[in-house]
Every structure is written in structure tokens, then in C-alpha cells.
Amino acid sequence: MGGGALHVHQATIDELQTAASTVLAPLSVTAPKAGAGAGVGAEAEANAFRADIDAAAVGRAAVARFRGSGHLVRRSARAITSTDPELLKITLHRSPEPAAADQGGTQSRPHSGDFVVFDMTRPYRLAVPDGCDVMAVGISRTELGRHADAVAARAARRLPADTGAQAVLAAFLQGLGRHLDELVGPAQAQVGDALVSLLLAAFAETEPGRTDTATELVDRIRVYALANISNPSLCVDSVAAAHGISARQLHRLFRRTGVPFAAWLRGERLERIRRDLLDPGQDGRTAAAVAARWGFHDPRHLSRALKSQYGTTARDLRRER
């Protein structure tokens, strides 16, 4: 979705379907009895439906809060196309009664305080009760890197949000739901970065099946690096020391991912610089100041790096707007 916030008070079932499909991907949203051949009863049920919707882009994720009447959300095979973004949907449930989740044969009954993941590239079904209060995050698989498969593997399973990183993420999302309108300019991008880091931290600790210690350590290093990405002294040696390993061990860990740590960090910094250069709200800053914010302090290096990564310069990025 775009950068502006979306607010709909007392939305109808059709308005909820439009909003959910816009924020995430094409979805079918129906009132409990609508479309079930119930005649006038089904029409009355749909007419009685009301929901409050608050949604906004937060960095490179979409965040939405849905409150109101119970409803059924379906992502059908027919609705999925090759042009849809490959999104993961993470929901946090605060409804008084349990919901019902179903994807790929896995079913669960998420209660208040539970997370549930859905892979938007596959069909799924989510029924939420009357008086629902659901936070939803839509995020591209590429944002989660190698961890995306581990998150997707949890599809339709309950993940309690009462301890550790899950509890921190839950509190963070509830705060987001109350302050979506206040996230503008640099704050929006910074909060988005924090959201991605918390998602990695929350799900890195809870992968199903066998634990891969090396993969967990790579995820922790990435979370740490993203949290400190504006520090120009962040480098292989400092990150390795912070995690009690040698620089050689860190290089070995990232060799498994196919992208060396330094190259990964450079790419993350360049993406943030590019995002700021495309943001009209950053026009008061020079390109050098934007780059310095993300740890780049050599303008000549910045020019070469942008040209290599995106085939363009800082000046051209601002002109492209």
C-alpha cells in the first residue's frame, strides 16, 4: 500500500474486503452467514456488520488493525496470481473468543494473545469471532531473508505472545495500532526497520523442528546489525566481538548464506539511503547527510556504490521522483 494511512469507521463488509485486499493481497471477506444460501437472513447479517479499520505502510511492511463484527477471511487459489507480491501475513489476536485458522491442512484455534502466520502465496482461511481485535502485518519474504521459510513453516499454528521476544513484538504492535497516524518522514522508516528486527527476533527463537544453531546465530547477527546500522564503526570485527566469535567465524557463517556479511550490510545501508533519497521529506538534507545517517561518510564511495547497486546516482534518484 502507499505511504498514507487508511481509516474507515463503521465499515461495511464490502469496505472491509476492499481495505484488506488493498493492504495485503486479493482476499474474500464475508459476514458469517453471507453467501451461505440463507436468503434474507444472510442479507441482514451482512447489513448488520460493522468494523473499524486502521492501516498504514510502516517502512517496507503494511500494518493494519481490524476491530468489530466477526467475519471470515479467505485467500482462494483462484485469487492467487503470479503477479501478487510474495507476502507473509503475521496476525496478533486480541479477540475475546478464539479464532479458527486453516492453511495447507494445518488448523488451530488462536486465542487472545496468540500470533498466527499465513503464507499469502497459498490458500488459507481465517474465521474471527464477533468483537474481533486483530493486528495484521504484511511483509515481503525478501525482507526476512533466509528466515522467511522458517516463518512460513509455522503457517496456521498458534504462537503464544506471552514471553520473550514474542511478548516484546506483541506490545510493539499494539503501540503501532494506536499511533499509525503519527509515523511520518524518517520516523516511519525507522519504526519499519525496528518492526523487521523484532519479527526476526520473535520467530528466530521458535522455529519448528530441528534447530540450526548456525542459522540462529546469523539471524541474531542480522538483528544486531540492523539495530546499529547507523553506526559508522559497525563492521565485521565489531559485530564478531559483540557476539563472542572471531571475524573468521563470522565470515564462515555468512559464507553459508551466499552473501558475505560486508556485502549484506552494504546492501542494507544502500537500500535505506535510496529510500531516503526518494522521499520528498528528505529534500532538506544533502545526499552526503542522508548517507552519513546510515553509516556512509565518503561521498565518492556513495556515488560509486549507488551506481553499482542501482545503476544510478543520488542526483538521478531525486530527479526520478
Short mmCIF file of all heavy atoms in Angstrom, two decimals, residues 45-114:
data_model
loop_
_atom_site.label_atom_id
_atom_site.label_comp_id
_atom_site.label_asym_id
_atom_site.label_seq_id
_atom_site.Cartn_x
_atom_site.Cartn_y
_atom_site.Cartn_z
N GLU A 45 -27.53 -10.19 8.01
CA GLU A 45 -26.25 -10.37 8.69
C GLU A 45 -25.20 -9.45 8.09
O GLU A 45 -24.42 -8.81 8.81
CB GLU A 45 -25.81 -11.83 8.56
CG GLU A 45 -24.58 -12.20 9.39
CD GLU A 45 -24.90 -12.38 10.86
OE1 GLU A 45 -26.06 -12.65 11.18
OE2 GLU A 45 -23.98 -12.23 11.68
N ALA A 46 -25.13 -9.38 6.77
CA ALA A 46 -24.16 -8.52 6.11
C ALA A 46 -24.44 -7.05 6.41
O ALA A 46 -23.52 -6.27 6.63
CB ALA A 46 -24.18 -8.77 4.60
N ASN A 47 -25.73 -6.67 6.43
CA ASN A 47 -26.08 -5.28 6.70
C ASN A 47 -25.76 -4.89 8.13
O ASN A 47 -25.49 -3.72 8.42
CB ASN A 47 -27.57 -5.05 6.41
CG ASN A 47 -27.88 -5.09 4.93
OD1 ASN A 47 -27.00 -4.87 4.10
ND2 ASN A 47 -29.13 -5.37 4.59
N ALA A 48 -25.80 -5.86 9.06
CA ALA A 48 -25.52 -5.58 10.46
C ALA A 48 -24.03 -5.49 10.75
O ALA A 48 -23.63 -5.03 11.81
CB ALA A 48 -26.16 -6.67 11.34
N PHE A 49 -23.23 -5.94 9.81
CA PHE A 49 -21.78 -5.97 10.02
C PHE A 49 -21.21 -4.56 10.09
O PHE A 49 -21.56 -3.68 9.30
CB PHE A 49 -21.11 -6.72 8.86
CG PHE A 49 -19.61 -6.77 8.96
CD1 PHE A 49 -18.98 -7.85 9.56
CD2 PHE A 49 -18.83 -5.73 8.48
CE1 PHE A 49 -17.61 -7.88 9.66
CE2 PHE A 49 -17.45 -5.76 8.58
CZ PHE A 49 -16.85 -6.84 9.18
N ARG A 50 -20.28 -4.34 11.03
CA ARG A 50 -19.55 -3.09 11.13
C ARG A 50 -18.15 -3.36 11.65
O ARG A 50 -17.96 -4.23 12.51
CB ARG A 50 -20.27 -2.09 12.05
CG ARG A 50 -21.54 -1.50 11.48
CD ARG A 50 -21.25 -0.64 10.25
NE ARG A 50 -22.46 -0.03 9.67
CZ ARG A 50 -23.19 -0.56 8.72
NH1 ARG A 50 -22.87 -1.76 8.24
NH2 ARG A 50 -24.24 0.08 8.26
N ALA A 51 -17.18 -2.61 11.15
CA ALA A 51 -15.80 -2.78 11.61
C ALA A 51 -15.06 -1.45 11.50
O ALA A 51 -15.39 -0.61 10.66
CB ALA A 51 -15.08 -3.84 10.77
N ASP A 52 -14.09 -1.26 12.36
CA ASP A 52 -13.19 -0.11 12.29
C ASP A 52 -11.85 -0.60 11.73
O ASP A 52 -11.30 -1.62 12.17
CB ASP A 52 -12.97 0.51 13.67
CG ASP A 52 -14.22 1.19 14.19
OD1 ASP A 52 -15.08 1.56 13.37
OD2 ASP A 52 -14.35 1.33 15.42
N ILE A 53 -11.32 0.13 10.76
CA ILE A 53 -10.09 -0.26 10.08
C ILE A 53 -9.07 0.87 10.19
O ILE A 53 -9.38 2.03 9.88
CB ILE A 53 -10.35 -0.54 8.58
CG1 ILE A 53 -11.50 -1.54 8.41
CG2 ILE A 53 -9.09 -1.03 7.89
CD1 ILE A 53 -12.08 -1.54 7.00
N ASP A 54 -7.87 0.54 10.62
CA ASP A 54 -6.76 1.48 10.64
C ASP A 54 -5.57 0.78 10.00
O ASP A 54 -5.20 -0.32 10.43
CB ASP A 54 -6.40 1.89 12.07
CG ASP A 54 -7.57 2.55 12.78
OD1 ASP A 54 -7.84 3.72 12.49
OD2 ASP A 54 -8.22 1.89 13.63
N ALA A 55 -4.97 1.38 9.00
CA ALA A 55 -3.86 0.73 8.29
C ALA A 55 -2.89 1.77 7.76
O ALA A 55 -3.27 2.92 7.50
CB ALA A 55 -4.39 -0.12 7.14
N ALA A 56 -1.64 1.37 7.62
CA ALA A 56 -0.62 2.26 7.07
C ALA A 56 0.60 1.45 6.66
O ALA A 56 0.82 0.34 7.16
CB ALA A 56 -0.21 3.33 8.09
N ALA A 57 1.38 2.01 5.74
CA ALA A 57 2.69 1.45 5.44
C ALA A 57 3.64 1.88 6.55
O ALA A 57 3.67 3.05 6.94
CB ALA A 57 3.19 1.97 4.09
N VAL A 58 4.40 0.93 7.07
CA VAL A 58 5.38 1.21 8.12
C VAL A 58 6.71 0.69 7.60
O VAL A 58 6.98 -0.51 7.64
CB VAL A 58 5.00 0.54 9.45
CG1 VAL A 58 6.05 0.83 10.52
CG2 VAL A 58 3.63 1.03 9.91
N GLY A 59 7.54 1.59 7.08
CA GLY A 59 8.74 1.14 6.40
C GLY A 59 8.34 0.33 5.19
O GLY A 59 7.51 0.76 4.38
N ARG A 60 8.87 -0.87 5.08
CA ARG A 60 8.55 -1.72 3.93
C ARG A 60 7.54 -2.81 4.29
O ARG A 60 7.38 -3.80 3.57
CB ARG A 60 9.84 -2.33 3.39
CG ARG A 60 10.70 -1.31 2.66
CD ARG A 60 12.07 -1.86 2.29
NE ARG A 60 12.96 -1.87 3.44
CZ ARG A 60 14.20 -2.32 3.44
NH1 ARG A 60 14.70 -2.83 2.33
NH2 ARG A 60 14.95 -2.27 4.52
N ALA A 61 6.81 -2.61 5.39
CA ALA A 61 5.74 -3.52 5.79
C ALA A 61 4.42 -2.77 5.77
O ALA A 61 4.37 -1.54 5.80
CB ALA A 61 6.01 -4.09 7.18
N ALA A 62 3.32 -3.52 5.70
CA ALA A 62 1.98 -2.94 5.85
C ALA A 62 1.42 -3.41 7.18
O ALA A 62 1.52 -4.60 7.52
CB ALA A 62 1.08 -3.40 4.70
N VAL A 63 0.87 -2.50 7.94
CA VAL A 63 0.33 -2.82 9.26
C VAL A 63 -1.12 -2.37 9.30
O VAL A 63 -1.45 -1.26 8.88
CB VAL A 63 1.13 -2.12 10.38
CG1 VAL A 63 0.51 -2.44 11.75
CG2 VAL A 63 2.58 -2.58 10.35
N ALA A 64 -2.01 -3.23 9.83
CA ALA A 64 -3.42 -2.89 9.90
C ALA A 64 -4.02 -3.43 11.19
O ALA A 64 -3.57 -4.45 11.73
CB ALA A 64 -4.17 -3.46 8.70
N ARG A 65 -5.03 -2.72 11.68
CA ARG A 65 -5.79 -3.18 12.84
C ARG A 65 -7.26 -3.24 12.43
O ARG A 65 -7.80 -2.28 11.88
CB ARG A 65 -5.61 -2.24 14.02
CG ARG A 65 -6.30 -2.74 15.30
CD ARG A 65 -6.11 -1.75 16.46
NE ARG A 65 -6.66 -2.30 17.69
CZ ARG A 65 -6.76 -1.61 18.84
NH1 ARG A 65 -6.33 -0.35 18.89
NH2 ARG A 65 -7.28 -2.17 19.91
N PHE A 66 -7.89 -4.39 12.69
CA PHE A 66 -9.30 -4.60 12.36
C PHE A 66 -10.06 -4.89 13.66
O PHE A 66 -9.71 -5.81 14.40
CB PHE A 66 -9.47 -5.77 11.38
CG PHE A 66 -8.68 -5.62 10.11
CD1 PHE A 66 -7.48 -6.28 9.93
CD2 PHE A 66 -9.13 -4.80 9.09
CE1 PHE A 66 -6.73 -6.15 8.77
CE2 PHE A 66 -8.40 -4.65 7.91
CZ PHE A 66 -7.21 -5.32 7.76
N ARG A 67 -11.13 -4.12 13.92
CA ARG A 67 -11.94 -4.33 15.10
C ARG A 67 -13.42 -4.29 14.72
O ARG A 67 -13.82 -3.44 13.91
CB ARG A 67 -11.67 -3.23 16.15
CG ARG A 67 -10.29 -3.27 16.79
CD ARG A 67 -10.02 -2.00 17.58
NE ARG A 67 -9.83 -0.87 16.66
CZ ARG A 67 -9.77 0.39 17.07
NH1 ARG A 67 -9.91 0.68 18.34
NH2 ARG A 67 -9.57 1.37 16.19
N GLY A 68 -14.21 -5.20 15.28
CA GLY A 68 -15.63 -5.14 15.02
C GLY A 68 -16.29 -6.49 14.95
O GLY A 68 -15.96 -7.42 15.71
N SER A 69 -17.22 -6.62 14.01
CA SER A 69 -18.02 -7.84 13.89
C SER A 69 -17.18 -9.02 13.42
O SER A 69 -16.15 -8.85 12.75
CB SER A 69 -19.16 -7.61 12.90
OG SER A 69 -19.94 -6.49 13.26
N GLY A 70 -17.63 -10.20 13.75
CA GLY A 70 -16.96 -11.41 13.28
C GLY A 70 -17.07 -11.55 11.77
O GLY A 70 -18.03 -11.07 11.16
N HIS A 71 -16.08 -12.20 11.17
CA HIS A 71 -16.10 -12.37 9.72
C HIS A 71 -15.17 -13.51 9.31
O HIS A 71 -14.37 -14.00 10.12
CB HIS A 71 -15.70 -11.08 9.00
CG HIS A 71 -14.38 -10.53 9.43
ND1 HIS A 71 -14.23 -9.74 10.56
CD2 HIS A 71 -13.13 -10.65 8.91
CE1 HIS A 71 -12.96 -9.40 10.71
NE2 HIS A 71 -12.27 -9.94 9.71
N LEU A 72 -15.28 -13.91 8.07
CA LEU A 72 -14.47 -14.98 7.51
C LEU A 72 -13.59 -14.41 6.40
O LEU A 72 -14.07 -13.76 5.47
CB LEU A 72 -15.37 -16.07 6.93
CG LEU A 72 -14.69 -17.22 6.18
CD1 LEU A 72 -13.79 -18.02 7.11
CD2 LEU A 72 -15.73 -18.13 5.53
N VAL A 73 -12.28 -14.64 6.52
CA VAL A 73 -11.31 -14.19 5.52
C VAL A 73 -10.81 -15.42 4.76
O VAL A 73 -10.36 -16.38 5.39
CB VAL A 73 -10.12 -13.46 6.17
CG1 VAL A 73 -9.13 -13.00 5.10
CG2 VAL A 73 -10.60 -12.28 6.99
N ARG A 74 -10.85 -15.36 3.43
CA ARG A 74 -10.36 -16.48 2.62
C ARG A 74 -9.46 -15.96 1.51
O ARG A 74 -9.76 -14.97 0.87
CB ARG A 74 -11.53 -17.26 2.02
CG ARG A 74 -12.29 -18.13 3.01
CD ARG A 74 -13.48 -18.78 2.37
NE ARG A 74 -14.49 -17.79 2.03
CZ ARG A 74 -15.70 -18.09 1.54
NH1 ARG A 74 -16.03 -19.35 1.33
NH2 ARG A 74 -16.56 -17.13 1.26
N ARG A 75 -8.36 -16.67 1.34
CA ARG A 75 -7.46 -16.41 0.21
C ARG A 75 -7.56 -17.67 -0.65
O ARG A 75 -7.00 -18.72 -0.32
CB ARG A 75 -6.04 -16.20 0.73
CG ARG A 75 -4.96 -16.10 -0.34
CD ARG A 75 -4.81 -14.72 -0.88
NE ARG A 75 -3.50 -14.57 -1.55
CZ ARG A 75 -3.33 -13.87 -2.66
NH1 ARG A 75 -4.35 -13.26 -3.23
NH2 ARG A 75 -2.13 -13.76 -3.19
N SER A 76 -8.30 -17.57 -1.72
CA SER A 76 -8.57 -18.75 -2.55
C SER A 76 -7.48 -18.95 -3.58
O SER A 76 -6.74 -18.03 -3.95
CB SER A 76 -9.92 -18.61 -3.25
OG SER A 76 -9.87 -17.56 -4.20
N ALA A 77 -7.38 -20.18 -4.09
CA ALA A 77 -6.41 -20.49 -5.14
C ALA A 77 -6.67 -19.64 -6.38
O ALA A 77 -5.75 -19.21 -7.07
CB ALA A 77 -6.46 -21.97 -5.48
N ARG A 78 -7.94 -19.38 -6.65
CA ARG A 78 -8.30 -18.60 -7.83
C ARG A 78 -7.81 -17.16 -7.71
O ARG A 78 -7.51 -16.51 -8.72
CB ARG A 78 -9.82 -18.62 -8.01
CG ARG A 78 -10.33 -17.86 -9.21
CD ARG A 78 -11.83 -17.99 -9.36
NE ARG A 78 -12.22 -19.37 -9.60
CZ ARG A 78 -13.48 -19.77 -9.74
NH1 ARG A 78 -14.46 -18.89 -9.67
NH2 ARG A 78 -13.76 -21.04 -9.95
N ALA A 79 -7.73 -16.63 -6.48
CA ALA A 79 -7.33 -15.24 -6.27
C ALA A 79 -5.83 -15.05 -6.37
O ALA A 79 -5.35 -13.92 -6.50
CB ALA A 79 -7.82 -14.75 -4.91
N ILE A 80 -5.06 -16.13 -6.32
CA ILE A 80 -3.60 -16.04 -6.30
C ILE A 80 -3.07 -16.02 -7.73
O ILE A 80 -3.37 -16.91 -8.52
CB ILE A 80 -2.99 -17.22 -5.52
CG1 ILE A 80 -3.50 -17.19 -4.08
CG2 ILE A 80 -1.47 -17.17 -5.54
CD1 ILE A 80 -3.14 -18.44 -3.28
N THR A 81 -2.27 -15.00 -8.04
CA THR A 81 -1.69 -14.90 -9.38
C THR A 81 -0.18 -14.74 -9.27
O THR A 81 0.36 -14.42 -8.20
CB THR A 81 -2.26 -13.70 -10.15
OG1 THR A 81 -1.77 -12.48 -9.57
CG2 THR A 81 -3.79 -13.69 -10.11
N SER A 82 0.50 -14.93 -10.38
CA SER A 82 1.96 -14.83 -10.40
C SER A 82 2.44 -13.41 -10.18
O SER A 82 3.61 -13.19 -9.88
CB SER A 82 2.50 -15.37 -11.73
OG SER A 82 1.97 -14.62 -12.81
N THR A 83 1.55 -12.43 -10.35
CA THR A 83 1.95 -11.03 -10.17
C THR A 83 1.78 -10.54 -8.74
O THR A 83 2.21 -9.44 -8.41
CB THR A 83 1.14 -10.12 -11.11
OG1 THR A 83 -0.26 -10.26 -10.81
CG2 THR A 83 1.39 -10.48 -12.57
N ASP A 84 1.15 -11.34 -7.88
CA ASP A 84 0.97 -10.95 -6.48
C ASP A 84 2.32 -10.91 -5.77
O ASP A 84 3.19 -11.75 -6.04
CB ASP A 84 0.06 -11.94 -5.74
CG ASP A 84 -1.38 -11.85 -6.20
OD1 ASP A 84 -1.74 -10.83 -6.81
OD2 ASP A 84 -2.14 -12.80 -5.95
N PRO A 85 2.51 -9.97 -4.85
CA PRO A 85 3.74 -9.98 -4.06
C PRO A 85 3.79 -11.21 -3.17
O PRO A 85 2.76 -11.69 -2.70
CB PRO A 85 3.64 -8.70 -3.23
CG PRO A 85 2.17 -8.41 -3.15
CD PRO A 85 1.60 -8.86 -4.46
N GLU A 86 4.99 -11.74 -2.96
CA GLU A 86 5.15 -12.93 -2.10
C GLU A 86 5.21 -12.46 -0.65
O GLU A 86 6.26 -12.22 -0.09
CB GLU A 86 6.40 -13.71 -2.49
CG GLU A 86 6.31 -14.34 -3.86
CD GLU A 86 7.43 -15.32 -4.13
OE1 GLU A 86 8.37 -15.38 -3.33
OE2 GLU A 86 7.34 -16.03 -5.15
N LEU A 87 4.02 -12.36 -0.06
CA LEU A 87 3.90 -11.82 1.30
C LEU A 87 3.70 -12.91 2.33
O LEU A 87 3.12 -13.97 2.06
CB LEU A 87 2.72 -10.86 1.38
CG LEU A 87 2.74 -9.58 0.55
CD1 LEU A 87 1.45 -8.80 0.78
CD2 LEU A 87 3.95 -8.74 0.91
N LEU A 88 4.17 -12.63 3.54
CA LEU A 88 3.79 -13.38 4.72
C LEU A 88 2.91 -12.45 5.54
O LEU A 88 3.18 -11.25 5.66
CB LEU A 88 5.01 -13.81 5.53
CG LEU A 88 5.92 -14.82 4.84
CD1 LEU A 88 7.14 -15.11 5.70
CD2 LEU A 88 5.18 -16.12 4.54
N LYS A 89 1.85 -12.99 6.09
CA LYS A 89 0.92 -12.23 6.93
C LYS A 89 1.04 -12.75 8.36
O LYS A 89 0.85 -13.93 8.60
CB LYS A 89 -0.50 -12.39 6.41
CG LYS A 89 -1.59 -11.77 7.29
CD LYS A 89 -2.95 -12.09 6.70
CE LYS A 89 -4.08 -11.66 7.61
NZ LYS A 89 -5.40 -12.09 7.08
N ILE A 90 1.39 -11.86 9.28
CA ILE A 90 1.50 -12.23 10.68
C ILE A 90 0.38 -11.53 11.42
O ILE A 90 0.26 -10.30 11.36
CB ILE A 90 2.87 -11.84 11.28
CG1 ILE A 90 4.00 -12.62 10.60
CG2 ILE A 90 2.91 -12.10 12.77
CD1 ILE A 90 4.68 -11.90 9.50
N THR A 91 -0.48 -12.29 12.10
CA THR A 91 -1.61 -11.70 12.81
C THR A 91 -1.43 -11.87 14.31
O THR A 91 -0.93 -12.90 14.79
CB THR A 91 -2.94 -12.35 12.40
OG1 THR A 91 -2.88 -13.77 12.62
CG2 THR A 91 -3.23 -12.11 10.93
N LEU A 92 -1.83 -10.84 15.06
CA LEU A 92 -1.85 -10.89 16.52
C LEU A 92 -3.30 -10.74 16.95
O LEU A 92 -3.96 -9.76 16.61
CB LEU A 92 -1.01 -9.77 17.12
CG LEU A 92 -1.10 -9.61 18.64
CD1 LEU A 92 -0.55 -10.85 19.35
CD2 LEU A 92 -0.36 -8.35 19.10
N HIS A 93 -3.80 -11.72 17.69
CA HIS A 93 -5.22 -11.77 18.05
C HIS A 93 -5.44 -11.26 19.47
O HIS A 93 -4.77 -11.70 20.40
CB HIS A 93 -5.73 -13.20 17.90
CG HIS A 93 -5.70 -13.69 16.48
ND1 HIS A 93 -6.80 -13.76 15.69
CD2 HIS A 93 -4.65 -14.09 15.71
CE1 HIS A 93 -6.46 -14.19 14.48
NE2 HIS A 93 -5.16 -14.40 14.48
N ARG A 94 -6.41 -10.35 19.60
CA ARG A 94 -6.82 -9.83 20.90
C ARG A 94 -8.33 -9.94 21.07
O ARG A 94 -8.92 -9.17 21.81
CB ARG A 94 -6.37 -8.36 21.03
CG ARG A 94 -4.87 -8.18 21.14
CD ARG A 94 -4.35 -8.72 22.45
NE ARG A 94 -2.90 -8.58 22.57
CZ ARG A 94 -2.19 -9.05 23.59
NH1 ARG A 94 -2.80 -9.68 24.58
NH2 ARG A 94 -0.88 -8.90 23.63
N SER A 95 -8.93 -10.88 20.38
CA SER A 95 -10.37 -11.06 20.42
C SER A 95 -10.79 -11.83 21.67
O SER A 95 -10.02 -12.65 22.18
CB SER A 95 -10.84 -11.82 19.17
OG SER A 95 -10.33 -11.21 17.99
N PRO A 96 -12.00 -11.59 22.17
CA PRO A 96 -12.44 -12.27 23.40
C PRO A 96 -12.61 -13.78 23.24
O PRO A 96 -12.43 -14.53 24.19
CB PRO A 96 -13.77 -11.59 23.72
CG PRO A 96 -14.25 -11.03 22.41
CD PRO A 96 -13.00 -10.64 21.66
N GLU A 97 -12.96 -14.21 22.03
CA GLU A 97 -13.17 -15.63 21.75
C GLU A 97 -12.12 -16.11 20.76
O GLU A 97 -11.59 -15.32 19.97
CB GLU A 97 -14.58 -15.87 21.19
CG GLU A 97 -15.70 -15.45 22.12
CD GLU A 97 -15.74 -16.29 23.39
OE1 GLU A 97 -15.35 -17.47 23.32
OE2 GLU A 97 -16.15 -15.76 24.43
N PRO A 98 -11.80 -17.41 20.76
CA PRO A 98 -10.79 -17.91 19.82
C PRO A 98 -11.23 -17.81 18.38
O PRO A 98 -12.42 -17.91 18.06
CB PRO A 98 -10.61 -19.37 20.25
CG PRO A 98 -11.85 -19.73 20.98
CD PRO A 98 -12.32 -18.48 21.65
N ALA A 99 -10.25 -17.61 17.49
CA ALA A 99 -10.49 -17.62 16.05
C ALA A 99 -10.28 -19.04 15.54
O ALA A 99 -9.98 -19.97 16.31
CB ALA A 99 -9.54 -16.64 15.36
N ALA A 100 -10.40 -19.24 14.23
CA ALA A 100 -10.16 -20.54 13.62
C ALA A 100 -9.31 -20.33 12.37
O ALA A 100 -9.73 -19.65 11.44
CB ALA A 100 -11.47 -21.22 13.26
N ALA A 101 -8.10 -20.90 12.37
CA ALA A 101 -7.16 -20.74 11.26
C ALA A 101 -6.95 -22.06 10.56
O ALA A 101 -6.91 -23.12 11.19
CB ALA A 101 -5.82 -20.21 11.78
N ASP A 102 -6.79 -21.99 9.23
CA ASP A 102 -6.62 -23.21 8.44
C ASP A 102 -5.78 -22.87 7.20
O ASP A 102 -6.15 -22.00 6.42
CB ASP A 102 -7.99 -23.75 8.02
CG ASP A 102 -7.92 -25.08 7.27
OD1 ASP A 102 -6.80 -25.49 6.87
OD2 ASP A 102 -8.97 -25.71 7.08
N GLN A 103 -4.64 -23.56 7.06
CA GLN A 103 -3.84 -23.43 5.83
C GLN A 103 -3.07 -24.72 5.59
O GLN A 103 -2.40 -25.23 6.49
CB GLN A 103 -2.86 -22.26 5.90
CG GLN A 103 -2.09 -22.07 4.58
CD GLN A 103 -1.36 -20.75 4.49
OE1 GLN A 103 -0.68 -20.35 5.42
NE2 GLN A 103 -1.50 -20.07 3.35
N GLY A 104 -3.19 -25.24 4.38
CA GLY A 104 -2.43 -26.42 3.99
C GLY A 104 -2.70 -27.63 4.86
O GLY A 104 -1.81 -28.46 5.07
N GLY A 105 -3.91 -27.75 5.40
CA GLY A 105 -4.25 -28.88 6.26
C GLY A 105 -3.90 -28.68 7.73
O GLY A 105 -4.29 -29.49 8.58
N THR A 106 -3.18 -27.62 8.06
CA THR A 106 -2.89 -27.31 9.46
C THR A 106 -3.98 -26.39 9.99
O THR A 106 -4.31 -25.39 9.37
CB THR A 106 -1.53 -26.61 9.59
OG1 THR A 106 -0.51 -27.48 9.12
CG2 THR A 106 -1.24 -26.24 11.05
N GLN A 107 -4.53 -26.76 11.15
CA GLN A 107 -5.61 -25.98 11.74
C GLN A 107 -5.26 -25.63 13.18
O GLN A 107 -4.54 -26.37 13.86
CB GLN A 107 -6.92 -26.77 11.71
CG GLN A 107 -7.39 -27.13 10.30
CD GLN A 107 -8.67 -27.96 10.31
OE1 GLN A 107 -9.03 -28.56 11.31
NE2 GLN A 107 -9.35 -27.97 9.18
N SER A 108 -5.76 -24.49 13.64
CA SER A 108 -5.52 -24.09 15.03
C SER A 108 -6.65 -23.18 15.48
O SER A 108 -7.44 -22.69 14.67
CB SER A 108 -4.18 -23.37 15.17
OG SER A 108 -4.19 -22.12 14.50
N ARG A 109 -6.69 -22.95 16.79
CA ARG A 109 -7.68 -22.07 17.40
C ARG A 109 -6.95 -20.99 18.17
O ARG A 109 -6.80 -21.07 19.40
CB ARG A 109 -8.60 -22.86 18.32
CG ARG A 109 -9.42 -23.94 17.62
CD ARG A 109 -10.67 -23.37 17.00
NE ARG A 109 -11.65 -22.97 18.01
CZ ARG A 109 -12.76 -22.29 17.72
NH1 ARG A 109 -12.99 -21.90 16.47
NH2 ARG A 109 -13.61 -21.97 18.68
N PRO A 110 -6.45 -19.96 17.50
CA PRO A 110 -5.70 -18.92 18.20
C PRO A 110 -6.58 -18.15 19.18
O PRO A 110 -7.68 -17.72 18.85
CB PRO A 110 -5.21 -18.01 17.07
CG PRO A 110 -6.10 -18.31 15.91
CD PRO A 110 -6.50 -19.74 16.05
N HIS A 111 -6.07 -18.01 20.42
CA HIS A 111 -6.76 -17.27 21.46
C HIS A 111 -6.17 -15.86 21.56
O HIS A 111 -5.20 -15.51 20.89
CB HIS A 111 -6.62 -17.98 22.80
CG HIS A 111 -7.35 -19.28 22.88
ND1 HIS A 111 -7.00 -20.39 22.12
CD2 HIS A 111 -8.45 -19.65 23.60
CE1 HIS A 111 -7.83 -21.39 22.39
NE2 HIS A 111 -8.72 -20.97 23.28
N SER A 112 -6.76 -15.05 22.41
CA SER A 112 -6.24 -13.71 22.64
C SER A 112 -4.81 -13.80 23.14
O SER A 112 -4.51 -14.56 24.07
CB SER A 112 -7.10 -12.99 23.69
OG SER A 112 -6.60 -11.70 23.95
N GLY A 113 -3.91 -13.05 22.50
CA GLY A 113 -2.50 -13.10 22.88
C GLY A 113 -1.69 -14.06 22.04
O GLY A 113 -0.51 -14.27 22.33
N ASP A 114 -2.27 -14.63 20.99
CA ASP A 114 -1.55 -15.55 20.10
C ASP A 114 -1.22 -14.89 18.77
O ASP A 114 -2.00 -14.10 18.24
CB ASP A 114 -2.39 -16.80 19.80
CG ASP A 114 -2.48 -17.74 20.99
OD1 ASP A 114 -1.65 -17.63 21.91
OD2 ASP A 114 -3.40 -18.58 20.99
#
